[in-house]
Amino acid sequence: MSALRMRALDILIDRGYDAVTMSEIAADAGMSVRTLHRYFPTKADIVWGGLDGALDTLRSALETTDERLSIIGAVTEAMVSVFHEEAEEATFGRARLRVIALTPGLEITHPDVYRRWREETVAFVARRSGADPADVRPQAAGAAIQTTIMEALAWWAMRNDDVAAADVVAEALSGLAHLADPVRRSSEIPY
C-alpha cells in the first residue's frame, strides 16, 4: 500500500489535488476505482492516512523529555525524535506535506489530525507549566508551537535539498524560543 500511496501522492503533486479524480488515480495505478477505494475511501485519505503512529510517538516522547529543558526545548527534543523515527519515510513525508502545502484548505478535510497534535502539545505545556489545559497560556503556546512546526514542515516540503525535516523543525522552534525570550543568546537555546 505504501507504493500505491506514494504513486498517488506523486499524481496529486504533478496534477494538483483538486484537478485529479479518484478515477484518474486508479487508472494511472492500473486498478479499478473500487479497488482504490478499498485502500483509500476518499482522496483525502491518500494524504492523511497513517499518521496515528506519529502521534503515539509524539505522546511518548513528550512524556519522557528531560525535565531540565525549557518547554520549547522539550517539545523540540520530542519532535526531533518523532521525525528521526520516521526518517526512513522522508520521501513519503515530503510528498504528503507538499500536497498539503500546495492545497489550500486540505487540512480541513481531516481536522482531527491537527486537533490531536495540538491537544498533545497543549496538555504537555499545561503539565510542564502547572496550568490548566483550558487556560489561555497553554492554549496560545500550543497554537504557536503547532503553527511553527507546520510552517517549518511546509517550508521543508517545498524544497528538494538534503536537509532533514527534524533539523528544520528544530531550527524553527529555536527561532520561536528566541522570540519568546530574546534576552537569551541563540547558543543557550537547546536547539
Side-chain angles (χ1 to χ4, degrees):
M1 182 163 76
S2 61
L4 175 59
R5 178 175 273 135
M6 190 65 217
R7 179 66 191 131
L9 287 170
D10 286 340
I11 294 166
L12 295 173
I13 291 167
D14 291 343
R15 300 183 203 164
Y17 182 89
D18 293 327
V20 178
T21 66
M22 289 291 273
S23 296
E24 291 169 324
I25 295 170
D28 195 271
M31 63 179 57
S32 71
V33 175
R34 186 176 183 171
T35 300
L36 181 63
H37 279 292
R38 285 188 193 137
Y39 294 105
F40 309 110
T42 69
K43 189 166 47 168
D45 291 323
I46 295 168
V47 178
W48 295 110
L51 287 174
D52 291 333
L55 182 63
D56 293 339
T57 303
L58 173 64
R59 184 179 302 115
S60 175
L62 287 172
E63 290 172 0
T64 60
T65 57
D66 186 340
E67 292 289 326
R68 296 171 294 182
L69 291 173
S70 68
I71 289 173
I72 292 179
V75 169
T76 301
E77 182 179 270
M79 290 305 300
V80 166
S81 72
V82 168
F83 287 105
H84 280 303
E85 186 164 307
E86 305 289 325
E88 67 277 356
E89 296 184 25
T91 302
F92 170 72
R94 189 180 299 252
R96 175 200 311 262
L97 289 164
R98 188 171 286 174
V99 171
I100 294 168
L102 291 171
T103 311
L106 184 58
E107 66 274 358
I108 65 170
T109 64
H110 277 58
D112 56 309
V113 172
Y114 285 97
R115 180 187 48 76
R116 291 188 331 235
W117 276 73
R118 183 173 174 189
E119 285 172 354
E120 287 299 327
T121 306
V122 167
F124 175 76
V125 170
R127 266 192 322 274
R128 286 290 296 272
S129 65
D132 183 317
D135 288 349
V136 69
R137 286 184 183 183
Q139 290 288 323
I145 290 167
Q146 183 177 23
T147 299
T148 300
I149 292 166
M150 292 310 300
E151 288 301 316
L153 290 173
W155 183 91
W156 171 78
M158 297 307 294
R159 282 152 182 76
N160 290 319
D161 51 28
D162 290 333
V163 177
D167 295 338
V168 173
V169 168
E171 184 179 342
L173 287 170
S174 175
L176 179 63
H178 186 72
L179 289 173
D181 190 1
V183 174
R184 293 175 65 181
R185 299 196 188 281
S186 297
S187 63
E188 296 173 348
I189 298 172
Y191 290 98

